[in-house]
Amino acid sequence: ISPTAGCVSCHPAVRSPPRFDAVHSTIGQQPEVALVADGPVLAAFEIRYRWPLPTGLDATRQRRAGRTAPLEIVSRVELGAADRLVRVTTRLRNTHENHRLRVLFPTWLAAESCVADSQFDVVERPVRVPQPPRDVWIEDQPRQYPLQSFCAIGDGVAGLAVFARGLHEFEVADRPDRSLEL
């Protein structure tokens, strides 16, 4: 398991980030971890972060505010005795402004495509999104894709599927870690 598995990041490289931005991550943060169920049928842990994040943008809207406040993120991770999947339920109340929160699941798979469900189909999409020539289109191609309830990546031997409720966009990073990012 990668030390970044399930890490949360405040991702600046999408939408309209401030001109002078910084990435914030839970890597290096020390969560509180508690065993909340330990029986013959179910085991569950609760993981609680109190993550200090900038509260928004400064007055110029060019960089993050100097003032920080904790953002509490609570995840419950469950595995049943007969389960073939791990259930993760994450709750937070995002009172911070001008941030985009993402959870990253590094897969380290050599996959070149990913899949996600849509209204009436399961659609396969490339991980590496080609950039049109700059004389045709100057903006970066979006690398985020829509999903209805799940997205997945696999290399024919191993894979990861993530089922999400309330999140309707994902990306697979075109990096060696091939993180599936919600």
Side-chain angles (χ1 to χ4, degrees):
I1 294 180
S2 164
T4 58
C7 83
V8 178
S9 74
C10 178
H11 199 280
V14 292
R15 303 289 192 255
S16 180
R19 185 173 186 189
F20 307 103
D21 204 5
V23 173
H24 298 270
S25 172
T26 57
I27 295 175
Q29 301 290 317
Q30 294 300 312
E32 296 172 21
V33 180
L35 180 64
V36 294
D38 185 18
V41 177
L42 177 76
F45 287 91
E46 184 177 273
I47 303 165
R48 181 180 307 266
Y49 282 96
R50 288 184 181 85
W51 187 22
L53 283 179
T55 57
L57 297 176
D58 69 4
T60 69
R61 301 187 62 78
Q62 296 292 308
R63 65 189 70 219
R64 302 280 173 206
R67 186 173 158 285
T68 63
L71 175 65
E72 187 171 79
I73 302 171
V74 180
S75 294
R76 181 181 172 104
V77 181
E78 297 179 351
L79 182 62
D83 285 348
R84 296 186 62 192
L85 58 91
V86 176
R87 286 183 181 79
V88 180
T89 304
T90 300
R91 300 192 191 295
L92 63 100
R93 183 164 179 247
N94 188 6
T95 56
H96 294 59
E97 297 179 347
N98 306 105
H99 290 274
R100 181 168 195 235
L101 300 174
R102 302 181 94 190
V103 61
L104 284 60
F105 299 94
T107 68
W108 298 97
L109 297 171
E112 294 301 319
S113 65
C114 53
V115 297
D117 62 338
S118 66
Q119 293 286 339
F120 303 106
D121 201 359
V122 174
V123 180
E124 183 175 7
R125 300 184 190 271
V127 170
R128 182 167 289 116
V129 178
Q131 179 67 39
R134 291 289 179 192
D135 61 337
V136 174
W137 191 257
I138 62 168
E139 295 178 2
D140 290 337
Q141 285 288 79
R143 293 185 311 266
Q144 298 80 36
Y145 296 124
L147 70 108
Q148 290 291 308
S149 61
F150 83 89
C151 54
I153 183 171
D155 64 4
V157 176
L160 173 69
V162 175
F163 294 81
R165 209 176 320 174
L167 301 173
H168 299 287
E169 150 186 308
F170 79 102
E171 176 180 347
V172 175
D174 187 16
R175 300 184 304 261
D177 68 358
R178 282 293 193 267
S179 288
L180 195 152
E181 304 176 359
L182 288 180

